[in-house]
């Protein structure tokens, strides 16, 4: 997209739609997400909310019970619920359209074309996604999922062909008719009928009423720079603002200060997301984070679309949330700017409640320690769950010793792991994706 003269928004939308094909273990076109856009000409930062909303605006019955399933990442068990009643109002099509209409330059069909091409041919499952697929199998295999993720009777392995029968048709509809097809057109009608048949309460009114929303922008200082993002469920900006001045602090006490801040704020929850960070030649940045949840196990026949499971992640629905209102999320695409305004870094992460952890580690590594982007993202991280510190191998032992002396228990992992999030970033220190999830970075 950038080589064709497109903007950061064009490239980000093309990448998010391609991710819905190639990273469907992590995300999908029936999911939701958020975008942060930095306008280089004005210095303006805009945060857009295209996350899922609660259905049932004109429902005439209660939703059927959801199906509980148990999933474990790295030995950390979590309980989820799937089925048609777990499906929220999707936001990805509307979000892609809103980003493109506000900041895109290329024709809409051109931006959808890469994803459509990938859907027709299929893609190779990235090796880091194979263990994630195994962990999520209870949600991924019901319905048409077995045909996609276990076409020969066994789960796909890294390098196997990942192909969604019918997804090319859905993307062709998106290219020809625009996002409206998913809300008031043929895809939306099939979505309502499919969810209703399974006992869910997604209605035509829910889809027709869905809108992309602008969100407030929150900021916090870090090493003389400003980090800006949306206020999120896991308090990333609040956590960052609570940190002491890290620049002159030795690394061991710095690790304790970071652990204390992570413990003091936020929640703990598993889940999956994907992230895209783009900066164009004019200095505009677009960071997009999106998710399907873990997937509801409900598919749209003939369209290859796996519906989201957002209502099955109960804590995303805050007390008092009504039909038509947005669910909460930990997703937090961010930008880092200098005091006089120029963009220095566009950054985001996948990983549910580990998003905050991954972003903080990567930002400290780049902004405070001066790492290039690839080194900063690949460096081992730790994640705090109450008084327990999960640490990747290679994390400095003197810092882990300091954490233990401060009263934390340390659990050492055997390798860099998908559990610890998936950062992607681009800026003056380079471009990189997280090796934990098969991410890449590219500079033109």
């Amino acid at each position: 997209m950038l080589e064709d003269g497109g903007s950061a928004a064009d490239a980000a939308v093309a990448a998010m739609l391609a991710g819905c094909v190639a990273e469907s273990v992590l995300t999908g076109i029936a999911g939701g997400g958020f975008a942060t856009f930095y306008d280089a000409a004005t210095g303006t930062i805009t945060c857009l909310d295209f996350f899922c909303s609660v259905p049932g605006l004109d429902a005439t019955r209660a939703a059927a019970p959801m199906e509980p399933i148990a999933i474990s990442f790295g030995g950390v068990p979590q309980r989820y619920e799937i089925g048609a009643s777990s499906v929220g109002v999707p936001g990805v099509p509307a979000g892609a359209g809103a980003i493109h209409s506000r900041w895109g330059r290329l024709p809409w069909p051109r931006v959808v074309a890469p994803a459509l091409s990938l859907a027709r041919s299929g893609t190779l499952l990235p090796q880091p996604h194979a263990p994630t697929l195994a962990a999520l199998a209870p949600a991924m295999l019901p319905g048409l999922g077995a045909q996609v993720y276990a076409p020969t009777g066994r789960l796909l392995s890294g390098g196997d062909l990942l192909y969604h029968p019918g997804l090319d048709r859905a993307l062709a509809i998106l290219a020809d008719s625009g996002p409206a097809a998913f809300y008031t057109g043929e895809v939306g009608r099939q979505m309502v009928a499919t969810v209703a048949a399974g006992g869910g309460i997604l209605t035509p009114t829910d889809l027709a009423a869905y809108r992309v929303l602008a969100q407030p922008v929150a900021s916090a200082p870090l090493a003389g720079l400003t980090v800006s993002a949306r206020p999120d469920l896991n308090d990333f900006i609040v956590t960052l603002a609570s940190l002491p001045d890290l620049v002159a602090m030795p690394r061991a006490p710095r690790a304790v200060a970071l652990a204390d801040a992570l413990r003091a704020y936020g929640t703990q929850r598993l889940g999956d997301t994907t992230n895209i960070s783009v900066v164009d030649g004019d200095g505009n940045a677009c960071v997009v984070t999106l998710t399907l949840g873990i997937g509801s196990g409900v598919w749209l026949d003939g369209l290859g679309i796996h519906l989201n499971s957002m209502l099955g992640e109960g804590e995303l629905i805050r007390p008092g949330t009504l039909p038509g209102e947005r669910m909460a999320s930990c997703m937090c695409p961010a930008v880092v700017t200098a005091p006089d305004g120029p963009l220095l870094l566009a950054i985001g992460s996948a990983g549910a409640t580990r998003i905050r952890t991954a972003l903080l580690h990567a930002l400290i590594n780049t902004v405070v320690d001066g790492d290039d982007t690839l080194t900063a993202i690949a460096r081992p991280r730790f994640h705090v769950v109450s008084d327990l510190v999960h640490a990747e191998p290679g994390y400095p032992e003197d810092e882990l010793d300091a954490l233990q002396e401060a009263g934390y228990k340390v659990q050492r992992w055997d390798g860099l792991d998908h559990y610890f999030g998936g950062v992607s970033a681009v800026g003056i220190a380079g471009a990189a994706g997280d090796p934990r999830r098969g991410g890449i970075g590219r500079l033109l």
Side-chain angles (χ1 to χ4, degrees), residues 7 9-11 13-14 48 94-112 286:
S7 66
D10 291 315
V13 170
L48 293 184
I99 296 167
H100 177 264
S101 65
R102 293 185 67 153
W103 300 295
R105 299 172 187 159
L106 299 176
W108 173 252
R110 176 71 187 93
V111 174
V112 181
C286 190

Side-chain angles (χ1 to χ4, degrees), residues 24 26 29 32 39 100 121 157 188 199 216-217 220-221 283 303 321 328 348 359 373 395 411 438:
S24 63
L26 305 178
I29 199 167
D39 187 312
H100 177 264
S121 65
S157 299
V217 180
L303 295 176
T321 303
L359 287 176
T373 306
Y395 197 87
Q411 178 176 325

Side-chain angles (χ1 to χ4, degrees), residues 83-178:
S85 294
S86 73
V87 178
V89 183
V92 167
I99 296 167
H100 177 264
S101 65
R102 293 185 67 153
W103 300 295
R105 299 172 187 159
L106 299 176
W108 173 252
R110 176 71 187 93
V111 174
V112 181
L116 177 55
S117 177
L118 290 173
R120 285 173 174 161
S121 65
T123 63
L124 301 183
L125 183 74
Q127 181 60 50
H129 293 195
T132 306
L133 173 59
L136 299 181
M140 305 300 281
L141 295 183
L144 298 175
Q147 184 180 352
V148 174
Y149 297 110
T152 64
R154 65 165 181 84
L155 286 175
L156 297 178
S157 299
D160 287 345
L161 182 68
L162 172 63
Y163 178 71
H164 304 76
L167 186 54
D168 59 334
R169 178 170 177 264
L171 288 165
I173 293 170
L174 180 65
D176 294 340
S177 303

Side-chain angles (χ1 to χ4, degrees), residues 222 232-240 243 246 254-255 257-270 273 330-332 347-366 376-386 388-392 395 400 403 408 413 417-424 434 436-437:
L222 180 63
D232 71 293
L233 176 65
N234 220 29
D235 290 335
F236 165 65
I237 292 293
V238 173
T239 306
L240 181 60
L243 292 172
L246 303 178
R254 188 178 80 181
L258 177 57
D260 288 345
L262 289 168
R263 181 174 59 179
Y265 300 97
T267 61
Q268 302 301 329
R269 182 73 179 180
L270 293 175
T273 39
C330 300
M331 292 185 282
C332 198
I347 187 169
S349 181
T353 53
R354 286 98 59 222
I355 288 174
R356 177 181 62 141
T357 296
L359 287 176
L360 286 170
H361 278 283
L363 285 170
I364 291 170
N365 293 345
T366 51
I377 291 173
R379 190 193 287 185
R381 304 196 270 262
F382 69 73
H383 176 65
V384 178
V385 180
S386 187
L388 176 63
V389 171
H390 296 271
E392 292 183 302
Y395 197 87
L400 297 181
L403 289 167
Y408 290 95
W413 287 51
D417 196 274
H418 167 278
Y419 172 80
F420 291 86
V423 179
S424 65
D434 206 310
R436 295 164 182 83
R437 299 188 179 214

Side-chain angles (χ1 to χ4, degrees), residues 63-69 80-88 138-139 142 194-201 294-299 306-312:
M66 290 182 273
E67 177 187 348
I69 60 172
Y80 287 90
E81 294 179 299
I82 63 172
S85 294
S86 73
V87 178
T194 300
V195 171
I201 55 172
I294 60 169
S296 63
V298 178
W299 294 71
H306 190 187
L307 301 183
N308 71 75
S309 59
M310 293 305 175
L311 275 68

